[in-house]
Amino acid sequence: MRFGLKRLVLGLVALTAGATGVAILLGATDPNGGLKPYGLQETLPKMVSSFGANARVVKIIVGSSGVYYQVIGADHRLHIRDYSIVQSEIEAGTTGYNRKTSDFVRAPTAAESRSAALTLSQLDPSAVDSLYGKVGFPRQGSSATLTGRSWFLESGAQPDHRFVAAYSGSGVQRTQAPAPPDPNTATVPSSAQAAAPTPSGGSQATTKTVYSLTTTISSGSTKPGKLSKTTQRLVTCIAHAQGDVNKIVVCQRKLVP
């Protein structure tokens, strides 16, 4: 009897508080607390509405629970917006989840201005879901990073398989390196945290790659970090490649230590 009752309780993985929009979990394993994660299809129209179709894209990260944007608007300012699901303790022993949008604005760096090769209007809202389908990545635990004119795909389910594709979703190819780093920031946005795979043991984390420094900021409290001149040259080289996979490979061979 007790065993059956325990199974019944565990089966109730989430209760939704409609008045507050907060999901209250009872032993759930869903990292999003039962809430529908933000996606590109939902958030891209909101970005266009907020900053205009001609806002230039510096970076987009589509993670397991949300989407992180860096765009340069008509005001020539860098607008950083993070659509994410946040976790908090409502009361002792009860965890709540809620959808949250955070914003931060600052002046773009010269490198960020140069790398903004696309506008929001050029992006296909269904591109990431389509790419996941092509490479066989699950939505949960995977990430897609747009930088320059290319999408870089990673998945915790298949950590040895990484792909690069044109911003339109075409030209998918395998690559040995994850998405290129942001040379001006130093912490992972909350919407992308669940997507980053972690090594199973210290002895196995021996691969050395500049691209493993994929970093961004989620609020104004984090100061930009500093990367080496070699890393900055690598980012510039990839940006100048304009989505040409062959040129990106050349950049990797020349500049990845």
Side-chain angles (χ1 to χ4, degrees):
M1 181 68 177
R2 289 184 178 179
F3 180 75
L5 181 59
K6 183 177 180 181
R7 291 185 59 185
L8 177 62
V9 172
L10 292 177
L12 300 175
V13 294
L15 296 175
T16 302
T20 62
V22 178
I24 303 173
L25 302 194
L26 299 177
T29 58
D30 184 352
N32 296 325
L35 294 177
K36 179 183 178 182
Y38 284 107
L40 195 66
Q41 294 195 34
E42 177 184 0
T43 59
L44 185 57
K46 295 180 179 180
M47 291 294 294
V48 171
S49 177
S50 296
F51 306 110
N54 293 324
R56 296 187 296 133
V57 178
V58 175
K59 180 186 287 290
I60 298 176
I61 301 177
V62 181
S64 294
S65 63
V67 187
Y68 171 88
Y69 290 87
Q70 289 185 351
V71 301
I72 299 176
D75 57 358
H76 305 295
R77 303 280 287 173
L78 181 73
H79 296 267
I80 300 173
R81 177 169 291 182
D82 192 8
Y83 294 94
S84 61
I85 293 177
V86 296
Q87 177 181 348
S88 61
E89 187 175 20
I90 298 177
E91 57 185 42
T94 303
T95 302
Y97 295 80
N98 200 3
R99 298 175 112 208
K100 180 181 178 181
T101 302
S102 59
D103 289 281
F104 178 64
V105 182
R106 62 172 170 83
T109 65
E112 288 167 339
S113 296
R114 289 194 300 268
S115 67
L118 300 171
T119 64
L120 290 174
S121 63
Q122 292 177 273
L123 302 181
D124 180 359
S126 64
V128 172
D129 288 339
S130 176
L131 284 170
Y132 283 166
K134 290 179 181 179
V135 302
F137 280 1
R139 170 69 184 271
Q140 185 61 47
S142 300
S143 68
T145 301
L146 178 68
T147 181
R149 301 175 68 88
S150 301
W151 284 106
F152 294 83
L153 309 175
E154 299 179 88
S155 177
Q158 302 180 43
D160 295 329
H161 295 177
R162 301 186 180 99
F163 297 87
V164 62
Y167 71 92
S168 62
S170 62
V172 181
Q173 293 192 29
R174 283 281 299 273
T175 178
Q176 295 303 311
D182 183 339
N184 299 285
T185 52
T187 52
V188 179
S190 58
S191 57
Q193 286 175 354
T198 56
S200 58
S203 61
Q204 297 179 5
T206 57
T207 302
K208 185 179 182 182
T209 168
V210 173
Y211 283 171
S212 65
L213 297 173
T214 302
T215 54
T216 47
I217 63 175
S218 59
S219 70
S221 61
T222 304
K223 295 182 179 180
K226 294 183 179 180
L227 299 180
S228 67
K229 291 183 179 179
T230 300
T231 304
Q232 294 175 358
R233 289 174 58 199
L234 175 61
V235 175
T236 301
C237 182
I238 291 176
H240 289 168
Q242 297 290 297
D244 188 321
V245 175
N246 292 326
K247 292 182 180 179
I248 292 175
V249 172
V250 172
C251 292
Q252 295 175 10
R253 290 174 179 172
K254 288 171 58 179
L255 297 170
V256 174

